Amino acid sequence: MASRGNAIARATFESRVPPFYYRPSASDCPLLREQWIRAKYERQEFAHPERQEPYSAGYREGFLWKRGRDNGQFLSRKFVLTEREGALKYFNRSDAKEPKAVMKIEHLNATFQPAKIGHPHGLQVTYLKDNSTRNIFVYHEDGKEMVDWFNALRAGPRCGAGRAGMGPRLQDQVAHRGRRGLGPTCALTPTCALTPQQTEGFRKRWFTMDDRRLMYFKDPLDAFARGEVFIGSRESGYTVLDGLPPSTQGHHWPHGITIVTPERRFLLACETESEQRAWMEALRKVVDRPMLPQEYAVEAHFKHKP
């Protein structure tokens, strides 16, 4: 360091970092920070591109421990990522000819959730099926293997991003603030109390936000969301208000949020002021962002849900 300096060292050890490779910050989980350091200095992957093959080849196949939807047990499952098809697949048996699930990468999100999953390498994968959100939870005992899977997913083709550069879908990673895309959060999503109607009682639910989809779950490890709320732009009649209507009753947490949509209001109560502030900031960022043409089609689907 004394002879070369930080700038020269970075120019050497980070000379060939792929644009899709996630650069962790101090707030990221230990796994991401450790593997970045090992990739950079120990394996020198960013100075020798041929060493990046595990996540740059466009195809990846291997076994991950996946949590069962019904019994909650983790079982070894074969996963295949193919950039040519733009899909991540998993198989219940290694010799199965047909996959149990096919997840299109353009509709996929992945976030590290070690505390939530109960393993330091735990990854939550969220994807769309029939325009509804589903979750699977996986891990691998080898930290490098898990981070390689994560960056291989980031390398795949997707709307507005890919090998050529980072689009907005790949930037923000905190689950309750995240945009659709791949984000390596290690923080837990806050739990809020929810009442869909002002006349109903509050129910404690676990929330996560994926782009403009605000989803809530009865349990953090649920495979399916109990409900989803589309968060549009201010120009389309969506607003986020601090606090709850004066007449609201039945909640035990003091820090309220009111989400106003063109059709109805959703009332949320957070346990702490810091969680309320974080949610308000995240929701308002989405509301302040103009809607893309394809997002109007998603909004229309939500409006026609039974």
Side-chain angles (χ1 to χ4, degrees), residues 9 63 76 101 135 137 200 204 215 258 278 305:
F63 288 85
S76 180
N135 295 321
F137 305 94
E200 298 179 7
K204 190 176 181 181
M215 297 160 284
T258 300
K305 273 187 175 181

Side-chain angles (χ1 to χ4, degrees), residues 248-305:
T248 306
Q249 298 178 355
H251 65 94
H252 304 287
W253 291 347
H255 307 286
I257 301 172
T258 300
I259 301 174
V260 181
T261 74
E263 286 75 34
R264 59 198 290 191
R265 293 184 175 215
F266 294 86
L267 309 182
L268 287 75
C270 299
E271 188 172 16
T272 66
E273 184 179 1
S274 63
E275 288 182 346
Q276 180 203 34
R277 287 198 305 266
W279 275 105
M280 291 287 294
E281 178 186 355
L283 288 163
R284 283 175 172 168
K285 281 183 178 178
V286 175
V287 168
D288 291 340
R289 195 172 78 237
M291 288 172 59
L292 300 173
Q294 59 266 33
E295 291 174 334
Y296 286 98
V298 178
E299 180 189 36
H301 172 81
F302 272 79
K303 289 180 177 179
H304 289 93
K305 273 187 175 181

Side-chain angles (χ1 to χ4, degrees), residues 156-303:
R158 64 196 70 252
C159 298
R163 297 186 183 279
M166 295 279 285
R169 294 183 55 220
L170 297 174
Q171 297 290 335
D172 200 342
Q173 50 82 0
V174 180
H176 68 274
R177 300 181 220 174
R179 300 174 183 173
R180 187 185 303 166
L182 293 154
T185 182
C186 305
L188 289 176
T189 307
T191 303
C192 294
L194 164 75
T195 176
Q197 302 285 357
Q198 296 185 38
T199 57
E200 298 179 7
F202 279 79
R203 298 183 293 274
K204 190 176 181 181
R205 293 292 183 259
W206 183 270
F207 279 71
T208 186
M209 190 159 66
D210 187 358
D211 194 28
R212 294 191 181 273
R213 292 173 180 263
L214 178 65
M215 297 160 284
Y216 50 94
F217 304 81
K218 188 174 182 179
D219 184 271
L221 294 174
D222 283 345
F224 307 101
R226 289 297 182 96
E228 300 186 38
V229 181
F230 181 83
I231 308 296
S233 65
R234 196 175 304 279
E235 293 80 3
S236 298
Y238 294 82
T239 310
V240 180
L241 304 176
D242 188 348
L244 300 174
S247 60
T248 306
Q249 298 178 355
H251 65 94
H252 304 287
W253 291 347
H255 307 286
I257 301 172
T258 300
I259 301 174
V260 181
T261 74
E263 286 75 34
R264 59 198 290 191
R265 293 184 175 215
F266 294 86
L267 309 182
L268 287 75
C270 299
E271 188 172 16
T272 66
E273 184 179 1
S274 63
E275 288 182 346
Q276 180 203 34
R277 287 198 305 266
W279 275 105
M280 291 287 294
E281 178 186 355
L283 288 163
R284 283 175 172 168
K285 281 183 178 178
V286 175
V287 168
D288 291 340
R289 195 172 78 237
M291 288 172 59
L292 300 173
Q294 59 266 33
E295 291 174 334
Y296 286 98
V298 178
E299 180 189 36
H301 172 81
F302 272 79
K303 289 180 177 179

Side-chain angles (χ1 to χ4, degrees), residues 89-107:
K89 308 174 184 179
Y90 81 85
F91 301 77
N92 275 350
R93 301 190 318 274
S94 59
D95 60 348
K97 297 186 181 299
E98 296 297 327
K100 176 67 175 178
V102 178
M103 296 158 271
K104 289 296 183 181
I105 299 177
E106 63 178 314
H107 297 145

Side-chain angles (χ1 to χ4, degrees), residues 7 31 33 39 52 61 73 93 126 129 131 139 170 183 201:
L31 173 66
R33 288 182 280 132
Q52 300 170 11
E61 182 177 317
Q73 295 182 337
R93 301 190 318 274
T126 302
K129 183 176 181 180
N131 211 36
Y139 72 85
L170 297 174

